[in-house]
Amino acid sequence: MFRSEVYIKRREELHRKMKTGLALFAGNVDSPMNYPANAFHFRQDSDFLYFFGLDIPGLAGVMDFDSGKDHIFGNDFDMDDIVWMGPQPMLKDLALKCGVTSTAPFIKIEDLFKDALAKKKRIHFLPQYRGENKILLSSLLGKKPLELAGSASVDLIKSVISMRSIKEKVEIEEIEKAIEIAYDMHVTAMTMCRQGVKEQEIFGAIEGIALAKGAGVSFPTILSINGQTLHNHSHDNILKKGRMMVTDAGAETNLHYASDITRTTPVGGKFSKQQKEIYEIVLQANTEAIKAARPGISNLDIHLIACKIVAQGMKDLGLMKGDVDEAVAEGAHALFMPHGIGHMLGLDVHDMEGLGENHIGYNDDVKRSDQFGLSFLRFALPYKPGHVFTVEPGCYFIPELIEKWQSESKFTSFINFSKIESYMSIGGIRIEDDVLITDKGHRVLGKPIPKTVKEIETICL
Ligand code: GLY
Ligand code: MN
Ligand code: MN
């Protein structure tokens, strides 16, 4: 964990922002795979980590904004636990690591909530994504789990988002460590990307690196020669010459900060003329979007810069036609780039997505579009110094989408459907980097991972 002052300062700031009421931060519990004692790799809740930092199951943090006091509830380990798990710290010593001096057995949280409810204190909580914590809240508040849906505290959500959005120096250092692990993962994937290798072998090798050097992957690795499926989690194919392998993979550091990087490698390491044509378009979209990133410009502006580069590139190759600005305004380019340019990155790979995408990336003035493609943009607001974003343009040949649009004669004034056929074996290409917004511009985080055609061909030699 970070030094206790980091957590004390964060909680003090939240107290200042919230002023009144009681907030519950439910830590996660172990999640069984197939029977209670056989659990998935434990992942602590990110908001609990942010304010309390303790990375063990079965804890809850409470901040009382009226009294200014913070509490941690949890159970001390007993001798049976120690026999199986080894010596364990006492809860009060753990709590001191994040600067909390008030601890109590977990069951005592009921008394605190009973008292708060009796006094009609406002109770704040964040949206819950795990069944156990939905049940905990339901029991503490005396409401059925279904009655809780949509009743999370918008004030608390917004305060937490305002804090977690602006990364501290120590957080940026952690994200850069996570990218360092991603460097090894991606360079390994590139050098293994050869004819006859099974995707699963590369997937296993790079997830192993994430575990060997950090807390594991920041999301299940996407690795496939069928990169046209944006989040392809099947790894059954044998690599064949003529195809391209999309690797979208990142790691978590031991403190659970994430990286999220995508590279696309031709099987065998040498780009064909056609692969290079499409790759250079996506690379230009990636580099130009990054170049434009600075405080004040919005993620929507950056998204549109990238979409126009993809549309212009496709027009230059004869796959699109007509006016590029009009094509992008109407959404025709989304046949080839149906997703958003990127998202925030931090303790979560899609940072704070559990708190509600529209709370993070949209507001009363900027509403989410319902246009296909643009509607997937997770964040549309202006950048601020301290934001960390992914920049991840792509170009995809999705047979089902192409067939549908062609059969509907959709955007025939912008798309040359007859020309697309010869590019289908490309599948998909995506290039993703992690970028910090600085006071005056931006900084691409981490050690540069091979990205140009020449760099990738060289590493694959
Ligand atoms: N790793 C999934 C994404 O890039 O959003
Ligand atoms: Mn990614
Ligand atoms: Mn991403």
Side-chain angles (χ1 to χ4, degrees), residues 354-410:
L355 302 181
E357 245 178 49
N358 286 347
H359 285 305
I360 304 165
Y362 293 86
N363 61 25
D364 290 342
D365 302 322
V366 185
K367 297 283 174 210
R368 189 186 284 264
S369 162
D370 57 10
Q371 183 186 79
F372 175 76
L374 193 51
S375 61
F376 292 129
L377 184 67
R378 299 180 197 280
F379 190 103
L381 299 175
Y383 293 147
K384 291 182 187 165
H387 279 168
V388 176
F389 274 94
T390 66
V391 178
E392 48 179 308
C395 185
Y396 310 88
F397 294 85
I398 306 169
E400 298 77 7
L401 188 62
I402 294 166
E403 262 168 47
K404 180 163 188 290
W405 282 24
Q406 188 166 19
S407 71
E408 292 168 355
S409 299
K410 197 165 166 162

Short mmCIF file of all heavy atoms in Angstrom, two decimals, residues 354-410:
data_model
loop_
_atom_site.label_atom_id
_atom_site.label_comp_id
_atom_site.label_asym_id
_atom_site.label_seq_id
_atom_site.Cartn_x
_atom_site.Cartn_y
_atom_site.Cartn_z
N GLY A 354 -17.85 1.13 -12.80
CA GLY A 354 -18.89 0.62 -11.90
C GLY A 354 -19.71 1.73 -11.25
O GLY A 354 -20.78 1.48 -10.69
N LEU A 355 -19.20 2.95 -11.27
CA LEU A 355 -19.95 4.07 -10.67
C LEU A 355 -20.94 4.67 -11.66
O LEU A 355 -21.73 5.56 -11.30
CB LEU A 355 -18.99 5.15 -10.16
CG LEU A 355 -17.96 4.69 -9.12
CD1 LEU A 355 -17.09 5.85 -8.67
CD2 LEU A 355 -18.65 4.05 -7.92
N GLY A 356 -20.90 4.17 -12.90
CA GLY A 356 -21.86 4.65 -13.91
C GLY A 356 -21.14 5.48 -14.97
O GLY A 356 -20.68 6.58 -14.68
N GLU A 357 -21.09 4.92 -16.19
CA GLU A 357 -20.35 5.59 -17.27
C GLU A 357 -20.81 7.02 -17.51
O GLU A 357 -20.00 7.91 -17.77
CB GLU A 357 -20.54 4.80 -18.56
CG GLU A 357 -19.27 4.20 -19.06
CD GLU A 357 -19.52 3.38 -20.31
OE1 GLU A 357 -20.17 3.85 -21.26
OE2 GLU A 357 -19.03 2.24 -20.31
N ASN A 358 -22.12 7.24 -17.43
CA ASN A 358 -22.61 8.59 -17.75
C ASN A 358 -22.25 9.61 -16.67
O ASN A 358 -22.14 10.80 -16.95
CB ASN A 358 -24.12 8.58 -18.01
CG ASN A 358 -24.43 7.95 -19.36
OD1 ASN A 358 -23.52 7.76 -20.18
ND2 ASN A 358 -25.69 7.63 -19.60
N HIS A 359 -22.04 9.14 -15.43
CA HIS A 359 -21.58 10.06 -14.38
C HIS A 359 -20.14 10.48 -14.64
O HIS A 359 -19.71 11.55 -14.21
CB HIS A 359 -21.63 9.39 -13.00
CG HIS A 359 -23.01 9.27 -12.44
ND1 HIS A 359 -23.85 10.34 -12.29
CD2 HIS A 359 -23.70 8.19 -11.99
CE1 HIS A 359 -24.99 9.94 -11.77
NE2 HIS A 359 -24.93 8.64 -11.57
N ILE A 360 -19.37 9.61 -15.27
CA ILE A 360 -17.94 9.88 -15.47
C ILE A 360 -17.73 10.74 -16.72
O ILE A 360 -17.02 11.74 -16.69
CB ILE A 360 -17.15 8.57 -15.64
CG1 ILE A 360 -17.38 7.65 -14.45
CG2 ILE A 360 -15.66 8.83 -15.82
CD1 ILE A 360 -16.93 6.23 -14.70
N GLY A 361 -18.35 10.32 -17.80
CA GLY A 361 -17.97 10.87 -19.10
C GLY A 361 -18.95 11.83 -19.74
O GLY A 361 -18.69 12.36 -20.82
N TYR A 362 -20.09 12.06 -19.08
CA TYR A 362 -21.12 12.94 -19.64
C TYR A 362 -21.68 13.81 -18.51
O TYR A 362 -21.45 13.53 -17.34
CB TYR A 362 -22.24 12.10 -20.29
CG TYR A 362 -21.74 11.36 -21.53
CD1 TYR A 362 -21.12 10.12 -21.43
CD2 TYR A 362 -21.87 11.93 -22.80
CE1 TYR A 362 -20.62 9.46 -22.55
CE2 TYR A 362 -21.39 11.28 -23.93
CZ TYR A 362 -20.77 10.04 -23.80
OH TYR A 362 -20.29 9.41 -24.91
N ASN A 363 -22.39 14.87 -18.85
CA ASN A 363 -23.03 15.69 -17.82
C ASN A 363 -24.29 16.33 -18.40
O ASN A 363 -24.74 15.95 -19.48
CB ASN A 363 -22.05 16.74 -17.26
CG ASN A 363 -21.55 17.69 -18.34
OD1 ASN A 363 -22.22 17.91 -19.35
ND2 ASN A 363 -20.38 18.26 -18.13
N ASP A 364 -24.85 17.31 -17.70
CA ASP A 364 -26.11 17.90 -18.15
C ASP A 364 -25.96 18.58 -19.51
O ASP A 364 -26.92 18.68 -20.28
CB ASP A 364 -26.63 18.93 -17.13
CG ASP A 364 -27.09 18.24 -15.86
OD1 ASP A 364 -27.32 17.01 -15.91
OD2 ASP A 364 -27.19 18.92 -14.81
N ASP A 365 -24.75 19.08 -19.80
CA ASP A 365 -24.55 19.78 -21.08
C ASP A 365 -24.14 18.84 -22.21
O ASP A 365 -24.40 19.11 -23.37
CB ASP A 365 -23.44 20.85 -20.94
CG ASP A 365 -23.80 21.85 -19.85
OD1 ASP A 365 -24.99 22.19 -19.75
OD2 ASP A 365 -22.89 22.26 -19.09
N VAL A 366 -23.44 17.78 -21.85
CA VAL A 366 -22.94 16.86 -22.88
C VAL A 366 -23.63 15.51 -22.69
O VAL A 366 -23.35 14.79 -21.73
CB VAL A 366 -21.40 16.68 -22.78
CG1 VAL A 366 -20.88 15.81 -23.92
CG2 VAL A 366 -20.71 18.04 -22.78
N LYS A 367 -24.55 15.22 -23.59
CA LYS A 367 -25.32 13.97 -23.47
C LYS A 367 -24.77 12.93 -24.44
O LYS A 367 -24.28 13.28 -25.52
CB LYS A 367 -26.80 14.23 -23.83
CG LYS A 367 -27.49 15.19 -22.88
CD LYS A 367 -27.82 14.48 -21.57
CE LYS A 367 -28.37 15.44 -20.54
NZ LYS A 367 -28.08 15.08 -19.17
N ARG A 368 -24.92 11.67 -24.08
CA ARG A 368 -24.43 10.58 -24.93
C ARG A 368 -25.23 10.53 -26.24
O ARG A 368 -26.46 10.63 -26.22
CB ARG A 368 -24.57 9.26 -24.18
CG ARG A 368 -23.91 8.08 -24.87
CD ARG A 368 -24.24 6.82 -24.11
NE ARG A 368 -23.46 6.71 -22.88
CZ ARG A 368 -22.32 6.01 -22.78
NH1 ARG A 368 -21.83 5.38 -23.83
NH2 ARG A 368 -21.69 5.93 -21.63
N SER A 369 -24.53 10.36 -27.35
CA SER A 369 -25.19 10.24 -28.66
C SER A 369 -25.85 8.87 -28.76
O SER A 369 -25.40 7.91 -28.13
CB SER A 369 -24.13 10.38 -29.76
OG SER A 369 -24.61 9.89 -30.97
N ASP A 370 -26.90 8.76 -29.58
CA ASP A 370 -27.45 7.42 -29.80
C ASP A 370 -27.06 6.89 -31.19
O ASP A 370 -27.54 5.86 -31.62
CB ASP A 370 -28.97 7.37 -29.58
CG ASP A 370 -29.70 8.35 -30.45
OD1 ASP A 370 -29.07 8.93 -31.37
OD2 ASP A 370 -30.92 8.55 -30.24
N GLN A 371 -26.11 7.58 -31.85
CA GLN A 371 -25.65 7.11 -33.16
C GLN A 371 -24.77 5.87 -32.99
O GLN A 371 -23.90 5.84 -32.12
CB GLN A 371 -24.83 8.23 -33.81
CG GLN A 371 -24.37 7.91 -35.21
CD GLN A 371 -23.44 9.01 -35.72
OE1 GLN A 371 -22.26 9.07 -35.39
NE2 GLN A 371 -24.00 9.91 -36.51
N PHE A 372 -24.99 4.86 -33.85
CA PHE A 372 -24.19 3.63 -33.77
C PHE A 372 -22.69 3.99 -33.83
O PHE A 372 -22.27 4.73 -34.72
CB PHE A 372 -24.56 2.67 -34.91
CG PHE A 372 -23.68 1.45 -34.95
CD1 PHE A 372 -23.85 0.42 -34.04
CD2 PHE A 372 -22.65 1.35 -35.88
CE1 PHE A 372 -23.02 -0.70 -34.05
CE2 PHE A 372 -21.81 0.23 -35.91
CZ PHE A 372 -22.01 -0.79 -34.98
N GLY A 373 -21.91 3.48 -32.95
CA GLY A 373 -20.47 3.79 -32.91
C GLY A 373 -20.19 4.85 -31.87
O GLY A 373 -19.63 4.57 -30.82
N LEU A 374 -20.69 6.05 -32.13
CA LEU A 374 -20.48 7.16 -31.19
C LEU A 374 -21.13 6.86 -29.83
O LEU A 374 -20.65 7.31 -28.78
CB LEU A 374 -21.06 8.45 -31.80
CG LEU A 374 -20.70 9.77 -31.15
CD1 LEU A 374 -19.19 9.90 -30.97
CD2 LEU A 374 -21.24 10.94 -31.97
N SER A 375 -22.19 6.08 -29.87
CA SER A 375 -22.87 5.76 -28.61
C SER A 375 -21.99 4.92 -27.69
O SER A 375 -22.24 4.83 -26.49
CB SER A 375 -24.18 5.01 -28.89
OG SER A 375 -23.89 3.80 -29.55
N PHE A 376 -20.94 4.30 -28.25
CA PHE A 376 -20.03 3.50 -27.41
C PHE A 376 -18.91 4.34 -26.80
O PHE A 376 -18.07 3.81 -26.07
CB PHE A 376 -19.40 2.35 -28.21
CG PHE A 376 -20.39 1.28 -28.63
CD1 PHE A 376 -20.47 0.87 -29.95
CD2 PHE A 376 -21.24 0.70 -27.71
CE1 PHE A 376 -21.38 -0.11 -30.34
CE2 PHE A 376 -22.15 -0.28 -28.09
CZ PHE A 376 -22.22 -0.68 -29.41
N LEU A 377 -18.87 5.63 -27.12
CA LEU A 377 -17.83 6.48 -26.54
C LEU A 377 -18.10 6.62 -25.04
O LEU A 377 -19.16 7.09 -24.63
CB LEU A 377 -17.84 7.86 -27.22
CG LEU A 377 -16.74 8.82 -26.77
CD1 LEU A 377 -15.35 8.33 -27.19
CD2 LEU A 377 -16.99 10.23 -27.34
N ARG A 378 -17.11 6.19 -24.22
CA ARG A 378 -17.36 6.14 -22.77
C ARG A 378 -17.22 7.48 -22.09
O ARG A 378 -17.66 7.66 -20.97
CB ARG A 378 -16.38 5.15 -22.13
CG ARG A 378 -16.52 3.74 -22.65
CD ARG A 378 -15.51 2.81 -21.97
NE ARG A 378 -15.35 1.59 -22.72
CZ ARG A 378 -16.18 0.56 -22.67
NH1 ARG A 378 -17.24 0.61 -21.89
NH2 ARG A 378 -15.96 -0.52 -23.38
N PHE A 379 -16.56 8.44 -22.76
CA PHE A 379 -16.24 9.71 -22.11
C PHE A 379 -16.23 10.77 -23.21
O PHE A 379 -15.56 10.61 -24.22
CB PHE A 379 -14.86 9.61 -21.44
CG PHE A 379 -14.50 10.75 -20.54
CD1 PHE A 379 -14.56 10.61 -19.16
CD2 PHE A 379 -14.10 11.98 -21.06
CE1 PHE A 379 -14.22 11.66 -18.31
CE2 PHE A 379 -13.76 13.04 -20.22
CZ PHE A 379 -13.83 12.87 -18.83
N ALA A 380 -16.97 11.85 -23.02
CA ALA A 380 -17.04 12.87 -24.08
C ALA A 380 -16.56 14.24 -23.59
O ALA A 380 -16.51 15.18 -24.36
CB ALA A 380 -18.47 12.98 -24.59
N LEU A 381 -16.22 14.36 -22.31
CA LEU A 381 -15.96 15.68 -21.71
C LEU A 381 -14.53 16.17 -22.00
O LEU A 381 -13.69 15.39 -22.45
CB LEU A 381 -16.17 15.58 -20.19
CG LEU A 381 -17.59 15.18 -19.76
CD1 LEU A 381 -17.66 15.00 -18.25
CD2 LEU A 381 -18.60 16.22 -20.23
N PRO A 382 -14.26 17.44 -21.69
CA PRO A 382 -12.89 17.96 -21.87
C PRO A 382 -11.90 17.31 -20.89
O PRO A 382 -12.26 16.96 -19.77
CB PRO A 382 -13.04 19.46 -21.55
CG PRO A 382 -14.48 19.76 -21.66
CD PRO A 382 -15.21 18.50 -21.29
N TYR A 383 -10.67 17.22 -21.35
CA TYR A 383 -9.59 16.69 -20.51
C TYR A 383 -9.15 17.73 -19.49
O TYR A 383 -9.18 18.94 -19.75
CB TYR A 383 -8.36 16.38 -21.36
CG TYR A 383 -8.51 15.25 -22.35
CD1 TYR A 383 -7.82 15.30 -23.57
CD2 TYR A 383 -9.29 14.14 -22.09
CE1 TYR A 383 -7.91 14.26 -24.49
CE2 TYR A 383 -9.39 13.10 -23.00
CZ TYR A 383 -8.70 13.17 -24.20
OH TYR A 383 -8.79 12.15 -25.10
N LYS A 384 -8.66 17.21 -18.35
CA LYS A 384 -8.06 18.07 -17.32
C LYS A 384 -6.68 17.51 -16.99
O LYS A 384 -6.48 16.28 -17.08
CB LYS A 384 -8.89 18.03 -16.03
CG LYS A 384 -10.25 18.68 -16.15
CD LYS A 384 -10.94 18.62 -14.79
CE LYS A 384 -12.37 19.12 -14.89
NZ LYS A 384 -13.17 18.74 -13.73
N PRO A 385 -5.75 18.36 -16.53
CA PRO A 385 -4.44 17.82 -16.12
C PRO A 385 -4.65 16.76 -15.03
O PRO A 385 -5.45 16.96 -14.11
CB PRO A 385 -3.72 19.05 -15.54
CG PRO A 385 -4.40 20.23 -16.16
CD PRO A 385 -5.83 19.83 -16.38
N GLY A 386 -3.95 15.65 -15.17
CA GLY A 386 -4.09 14.57 -14.19
C GLY A 386 -4.99 13.44 -14.67
O GLY A 386 -5.02 12.36 -14.09
N HIS A 387 -5.74 13.69 -15.74
CA HIS A 387 -6.53 12.59 -16.33
C HIS A 387 -5.58 11.58 -16.99
O HIS A 387 -4.58 11.99 -17.59
CB HIS A 387 -7.45 13.13 -17.44
CG HIS A 387 -8.71 13.76 -16.94
ND1 HIS A 387 -9.54 14.51 -17.76
CD2 HIS A 387 -9.32 13.73 -15.74
CE1 HIS A 387 -10.59 14.93 -17.07
NE2 HIS A 387 -10.47 14.48 -15.83
N VAL A 388 -5.91 10.33 -16.91
CA VAL A 388 -5.19 9.31 -17.68
C VAL A 388 -6.20 8.60 -18.57
O VAL A 388 -7.24 8.11 -18.08
CB VAL A 388 -4.45 8.30 -16.77
CG1 VAL A 388 -3.80 7.19 -17.62
CG2 VAL A 388 -3.37 9.00 -15.95
N PHE A 389 -5.90 8.60 -19.87
CA PHE A 389 -6.81 8.02 -20.86
C PHE A 389 -6.12 6.99 -21.72
O PHE A 389 -4.90 7.06 -21.92
CB PHE A 389 -7.31 9.13 -21.81
CG PHE A 389 -8.49 9.84 -21.27
CD1 PHE A 389 -8.33 11.00 -20.54
CD2 PHE A 389 -9.76 9.33 -21.47
CE1 PHE A 389 -9.43 11.65 -20.00
CE2 PHE A 389 -10.85 9.98 -20.94
CZ PHE A 389 -10.69 11.13 -20.20
N THR A 390 -6.92 6.08 -22.27
CA THR A 390 -6.39 5.24 -23.35
C THR A 390 -6.73 5.93 -24.66
O THR A 390 -7.74 6.63 -24.77
CB THR A 390 -7.03 3.83 -23.36
OG1 THR A 390 -8.42 3.95 -23.66
CG2 THR A 390 -6.85 3.14 -22.01
N VAL A 391 -5.85 5.75 -25.64
CA VAL A 391 -6.14 6.22 -27.01
C VAL A 391 -6.06 4.98 -27.89
O VAL A 391 -4.97 4.42 -28.05
CB VAL A 391 -5.14 7.30 -27.46
CG1 VAL A 391 -5.44 7.73 -28.89
CG2 VAL A 391 -5.22 8.51 -26.51
N GLU A 392 -7.19 4.51 -28.39
CA GLU A 392 -7.22 3.19 -29.00
C GLU A 392 -8.09 3.11 -30.26
O GLU A 392 -9.11 2.43 -30.27
CB GLU A 392 -7.67 2.14 -27.99
CG GLU A 392 -8.93 2.49 -27.18
CD GLU A 392 -9.30 1.37 -26.21
OE1 GLU A 392 -9.41 0.22 -26.66
OE2 GLU A 392 -9.49 1.65 -25.01
N PRO A 393 -7.67 3.80 -31.32
CA PRO A 393 -8.42 3.67 -32.56
C PRO A 393 -8.25 2.27 -33.16
O PRO A 393 -7.29 1.56 -32.82
CB PRO A 393 -7.79 4.72 -33.47
CG PRO A 393 -6.39 4.84 -32.98
CD PRO A 393 -6.46 4.62 -31.49
N GLY A 394 -9.16 1.92 -34.05
CA GLY A 394 -9.05 0.62 -34.71
C GLY A 394 -9.73 0.65 -36.05
O GLY A 394 -10.43 1.61 -36.41
N CYS A 395 -9.51 -0.41 -36.82
CA CYS A 395 -10.20 -0.57 -38.11
C CYS A 395 -10.50 -2.06 -38.25
O CYS A 395 -9.61 -2.90 -38.08
CB CYS A 395 -9.28 -0.11 -39.24
SG CYS A 395 -10.10 -0.15 -40.84
N TYR A 396 -11.75 -2.37 -38.51
CA TYR A 396 -12.21 -3.76 -38.43
C TYR A 396 -13.03 -4.10 -39.67
O TYR A 396 -13.73 -3.25 -40.23
CB TYR A 396 -13.08 -3.96 -37.18
CG TYR A 396 -12.43 -3.44 -35.92
CD1 TYR A 396 -12.60 -2.10 -35.53
CD2 TYR A 396 -11.60 -4.24 -35.14
CE1 TYR A 396 -11.97 -1.59 -34.40
CE2 TYR A 396 -10.97 -3.74 -34.01
CZ TYR A 396 -11.15 -2.41 -33.64
OH TYR A 396 -10.53 -1.91 -32.54
N PHE A 397 -12.99 -5.38 -40.03
CA PHE A 397 -13.80 -5.88 -41.14
C PHE A 397 -14.72 -6.95 -40.54
O PHE A 397 -14.35 -8.12 -40.43
CB PHE A 397 -12.89 -6.43 -42.25
CG PHE A 397 -12.07 -5.33 -42.88
CD1 PHE A 397 -10.87 -4.92 -42.32
CD2 PHE A 397 -12.55 -4.66 -44.01
CE1 PHE A 397 -10.14 -3.87 -42.88
CE2 PHE A 397 -11.82 -3.62 -44.58
CZ PHE A 397 -10.61 -3.22 -44.01
N ILE A 398 -15.89 -6.50 -40.10
CA ILE A 398 -16.82 -7.37 -39.35
C ILE A 398 -17.85 -7.92 -40.35
O ILE A 398 -18.74 -7.18 -40.79
CB ILE A 398 -17.53 -6.57 -38.23
CG1 ILE A 398 -16.48 -5.88 -37.32
CG2 ILE A 398 -18.47 -7.46 -37.42
CD1 ILE A 398 -17.06 -4.86 -36.34
N PRO A 399 -17.72 -9.20 -40.74
CA PRO A 399 -18.55 -9.70 -41.85
C PRO A 399 -20.05 -9.48 -41.62
O PRO A 399 -20.76 -9.05 -42.54
CB PRO A 399 -18.23 -11.21 -41.89
CG PRO A 399 -16.96 -11.37 -41.16
CD PRO A 399 -16.84 -10.24 -40.19
N GLU A 400 -20.51 -9.74 -40.39
CA GLU A 400 -21.96 -9.65 -40.12
C GLU A 400 -22.45 -8.21 -40.28
O GLU A 400 -23.54 -7.97 -40.80
CB GLU A 400 -22.27 -10.15 -38.70
CG GLU A 400 -21.92 -11.61 -38.44
CD GLU A 400 -20.43 -11.89 -38.23
OE1 GLU A 400 -19.63 -10.94 -38.16
OE2 GLU A 400 -20.06 -13.08 -38.17
N LEU A 401 -21.64 -7.25 -39.82
CA LEU A 401 -22.05 -5.84 -39.90
C LEU A 401 -22.01 -5.36 -41.35
O LEU A 401 -22.94 -4.67 -41.82
CB LEU A 401 -21.09 -4.99 -39.04
CG LEU A 401 -21.46 -3.53 -38.85
CD1 LEU A 401 -22.81 -3.38 -38.15
CD2 LEU A 401 -20.37 -2.80 -38.05
N ILE A 402 -20.97 -5.77 -42.07
CA ILE A 402 -20.84 -5.37 -43.48
C ILE A 402 -22.03 -5.92 -44.27
O ILE A 402 -22.69 -5.22 -45.04
CB ILE A 402 -19.49 -5.85 -44.06
CG1 ILE A 402 -18.34 -5.11 -43.35
CG2 ILE A 402 -19.44 -5.63 -45.57
CD1 ILE A 402 -16.96 -5.69 -43.58
N GLU A 403 -22.33 -7.23 -44.05
CA GLU A 403 -23.47 -7.86 -44.77
C GLU A 403 -24.77 -7.14 -44.48
O GLU A 403 -25.58 -6.90 -45.36
CB GLU A 403 -23.63 -9.31 -44.30
CG GLU A 403 -23.00 -10.32 -45.22
CD GLU A 403 -22.95 -11.70 -44.56
OE1 GLU A 403 -23.98 -12.13 -44.00
OE2 GLU A 403 -21.85 -12.30 -44.58
N LYS A 404 -24.97 -6.79 -43.19
CA LYS A 404 -26.22 -6.14 -42.79
C LYS A 404 -26.35 -4.78 -43.48
O LYS A 404 -27.38 -4.48 -44.09
CB LYS A 404 -26.26 -5.99 -41.27
CG LYS A 404 -27.51 -5.34 -40.73
CD LYS A 404 -27.66 -5.60 -39.24
CE LYS A 404 -29.01 -5.13 -38.70
NZ LYS A 404 -29.18 -3.70 -38.66
N TRP A 405 -25.30 -3.98 -43.38
CA TRP A 405 -25.38 -2.63 -43.96
C TRP A 405 -25.53 -2.71 -45.49
O TRP A 405 -26.25 -1.94 -46.08
CB TRP A 405 -24.13 -1.81 -43.60
CG TRP A 405 -24.16 -1.28 -42.20
CD1 TRP A 405 -24.87 -1.79 -41.15
CD2 TRP A 405 -23.46 -0.13 -41.69
NE1 TRP A 405 -24.63 -1.04 -40.01
CE2 TRP A 405 -23.78 -0.01 -40.32
CE3 TRP A 405 -22.58 0.79 -42.26
CZ2 TRP A 405 -23.25 1.00 -39.51
CZ3 TRP A 405 -22.04 1.80 -41.46
CH2 TRP A 405 -22.39 1.91 -40.10
N GLN A 406 -24.83 -3.69 -46.08
CA GLN A 406 -24.93 -3.82 -47.54
C GLN A 406 -26.35 -4.23 -47.94
O GLN A 406 -26.92 -3.67 -48.87
CB GLN A 406 -23.91 -4.85 -48.04
CG GLN A 406 -23.84 -4.87 -49.57
CD GLN A 406 -22.62 -5.60 -50.09
OE1 GLN A 406 -22.01 -6.40 -49.36
NE2 GLN A 406 -22.26 -5.35 -51.33
N SER A 407 -26.91 -5.19 -47.19
CA SER A 407 -28.26 -5.66 -47.55
C SER A 407 -29.30 -4.56 -47.33
O SER A 407 -30.34 -4.54 -47.97
CB SER A 407 -28.62 -6.92 -46.76
OG SER A 407 -28.84 -6.56 -45.41
N GLU A 408 -28.99 -3.63 -46.43
CA GLU A 408 -29.93 -2.51 -46.18
C GLU A 408 -29.60 -1.30 -47.06
O GLU A 408 -30.21 -0.24 -46.92
CB GLU A 408 -29.82 -2.07 -44.71
CG GLU A 408 -30.34 -3.09 -43.73
CD GLU A 408 -29.95 -2.74 -42.27
OE1 GLU A 408 -29.21 -1.76 -42.04
OE2 GLU A 408 -30.40 -3.49 -41.38
N SER A 409 -28.59 -1.45 -47.93
CA SER A 409 -28.10 -0.32 -48.76
C SER A 409 -27.82 0.91 -47.90
O SER A 409 -28.17 2.04 -48.26
CB SER A 409 -29.10 0.03 -49.86
OG SER A 409 -29.31 -1.05 -50.70
N LYS A 410 -27.20 0.67 -46.75
CA LYS A 410 -26.93 1.76 -45.82
C LYS A 410 -25.67 2.51 -46.23
O LYS A 410 -24.66 1.89 -46.55
CB LYS A 410 -26.75 1.13 -44.42
CG LYS A 410 -26.85 2.12 -43.31
CD LYS A 410 -27.05 1.40 -41.99
CE LYS A 410 -26.79 2.39 -40.87
NZ LYS A 410 -27.31 2.00 -39.62
#
